[in-house]
Amino acid sequence: MPEEKDLTSRRCTISQLKTHEMCDSILEQLEKAISLKEDGLILESDAVMNMLSLEVEKIRVQFDEPKEKTENLNFDKSTLPRRGQLLAEYDMVILRTKSDEDYEDYMKVSYECAIMKSAFKEDAFKKDLWESFLSDTAANFSIFDKVTGEYVGYCGIKNLSAENWELVIELLKKYGHRGYGYHALVVMLNALTELAGKTTYRSRVDSDNYASQNLMKKLGAIPNGISEMFIHGEDLRKFQEENKNLLMIN
């Protein structure tokens, strides 16, 4: 047992060192970009920032990956509609499975919702983003206004192979706070419950994203802890205990 504990401790130390190394690298590149800009080398500075954006986005995607990798053997993926086919419709929205025709609309909503918008200048980044959206391990559905037929955004399941299915949703800004997100998720969850038999889902929301918190609360969600990213184990438990108020949806 002591040997196992020591091994775990060493793994944590290595993980912490990698995190510090990653942060140091990002800060170094940021300082380089700032220095180039101050010297009047705008194009060179932009090039460094673009590469930094790609690096940060890859790190974010890595942290966003669900911890559980257990294959969900009870779910037959063929029960979902094929690419471009209708999933369900109700009230104000229509949900259709992802399609090649959605590329421009998907890029637009992803750009609007992105933190590092400069990454979208890189074709390689957009290619990876699109391939991830079309991946067979994910279930993404395009949302359309039922009356106008206009593209609203998308919602879906991040990883069908995960034991606990995690919700994702992004809307064009002009459709935010108008009920589209709620109706889209209700339609999707009802359809997936019928097709896959799933009754429990997970969703990760930033502690200061009150709109998303209220949306999850409206759907019946309850707080379930803090996602592991830069803190783990006992440190995470202490952080949760000290910040109970941040776990509650008001």
Side-chain angles (χ1 to χ4, degrees), residues 6-18 232-233:
D6 290 342
L7 179 59
T8 301
S9 177
R10 286 199 297 272
R11 285 174 177 170
C12 288
T13 302
I14 292 173
S15 177
Q16 291 168 355
L17 287 173
K18 287 182 177 179
H232 309 275

Side-chain angles (χ1 to χ4, degrees), residues 51-201:
M51 293 306 297
L52 178 58
S53 297
L54 286 172
E55 183 176 334
V56 171
E57 186 62 24
K58 287 180 180 179
I59 293 170
R60 184 193 66 77
V61 171
Q62 179 182 349
F63 279 128
D64 279 350
E65 282 298 310
K67 296 293 183 181
E68 55 273 314
K69 295 295 182 181
T70 304
E71 184 71 22
N72 185 356
L73 300 178
N74 295 323
F75 175 62
D76 180 5
K77 296 176 184 178
S78 66
T79 59
L80 295 179
R82 294 184 179 181
R83 187 174 296 186
Q85 292 184 338
L86 177 72
L87 174 71
E89 61 180 285
Y90 181 73
D91 199 6
M92 61 193 297
V93 297
I94 295 175
L95 264 61
R96 173 175 57 70
T97 54
K98 55 200 174 187
S99 167
D100 292 334
E101 299 175 359
D102 301 330
Y103 178 81
E104 294 296 337
D105 289 325
Y106 170 70
M107 285 300 162
K108 185 176 181 180
V109 70
S110 294
Y111 177 81
E112 284 193 0
C113 297
I115 297 175
M116 304 293 288
K117 298 187 187 303
S118 57
F120 285 78
K121 295 179 181 179
E122 301 294 331
D123 291 336
F125 170 75
K126 291 192 291 186
K127 181 176 181 292
D128 289 343
L129 192 64
W130 180 241
E131 289 179 352
S132 176
F133 181 71
L134 295 180
S135 171
D136 289 335
T137 61
N140 290 310
F141 307 97
S142 296
I143 308 168
F144 298 91
D145 182 283
K146 189 173 181 180
V147 177
T148 66
E150 293 182 351
Y151 181 88
V152 173
Y154 76 93
C155 59
I157 303 299
K158 181 174 290 188
N159 184 359
L160 293 171
S161 297
E163 181 179 357
N164 298 309
W165 283 5
E166 182 176 345
L167 305 178
V168 292
I169 182 168
E170 289 186 335
L171 305 179
L172 291 170
K173 289 183 179 180
K174 66 179 182 179
Y175 291 109
H177 310 290
R178 295 170 56 183
Y180 285 99
Y182 171 74
H183 283 88
L185 287 178
V186 167
V187 170
M188 184 186 76
L189 293 175
N190 286 340
L192 291 181
T193 297
E194 182 176 347
L195 292 171
K198 279 281 185 177
T199 56
T200 303
Y201 301 83

